[in-house]
Amino acid sequence: MTTYFFVAASEKFLTIEEPLEEILKERERNYKENNKEIDFWLLKNPSFLQTTQFDNLRAKIPSPPAAVLSTDKKFITFLKLRLEFVAVGEFESPSAEINDPYKVE
């Protein structure tokens, strides 16, 4: 099983109101320069947020939601500090509820 970490907020907040695109492009550039495999993804309306384990969290996020998913906990912590008004969480996959962590609705 793999542990995934995420920040989640409304799609509008993550893709329009915050300079997230710039952060992700810079990180992608850095990974390429260092021959590191990408371990983060921007997901619009991620299916994992629809699971019962995230009922309380989902209620706090305006629709439609979006999330940055990563296997790097430090990167998600950085995003939480940088973006401030986001929810954070983690889960393991594959599991009974989350078979495909990258699936979107």
Side-chain angles (χ1 to χ4, degrees):
M1 269 200 211
T2 302
T3 301
Y4 293 90
F5 306 91
F6 66 89
V7 294
S10 73
E11 182 180 328
K12 180 181 178 186
F13 180 77
L14 288 181
T15 62
I16 297 171
E17 295 175 11
E18 285 293 325
L20 182 62
E21 182 179 2
E22 180 182 324
I23 294 169
L24 296 179
K25 282 183 179 182
E26 173 60 26
R27 187 162 182 89
E28 184 176 358
R29 182 194 61 75
N30 179 271
Y31 274 38
K32 285 180 181 178
E33 287 178 1
N34 292 294
N35 295 318
K36 187 173 177 185
E37 190 174 325
I38 299 293
D39 62 359
F40 59 93
W41 305 268
L42 174 61
L43 305 173
K44 296 179 181 178
N45 204 14
S47 295
F48 70 80
L49 285 178
Q50 302 305 316
T51 61
T52 57
Q53 73 187 60
F54 295 121
D55 282 346
N56 291 335
L57 187 70
R58 186 175 59 252
K60 298 174 185 176
I61 301 170
S63 289
V68 176
L69 181 67
S70 180
T71 55
D72 183 347
K73 186 176 183 175
K74 289 181 182 178
F75 178 54
I76 295 303
T77 300
F78 162 77
L79 286 178
K80 169 59 178 151
L81 294 172
R82 171 64 179 80
L83 300 173
E84 254 184 274
F85 302 108
V86 293
V88 294
E90 67 182 77
F91 62 88
E92 289 190 348
S93 182
S95 68
E97 281 194 295
I98 306 171
N99 191 39
D100 180 359
Y102 313 106
K103 185 177 177 187
V104 293
E105 297 289 318

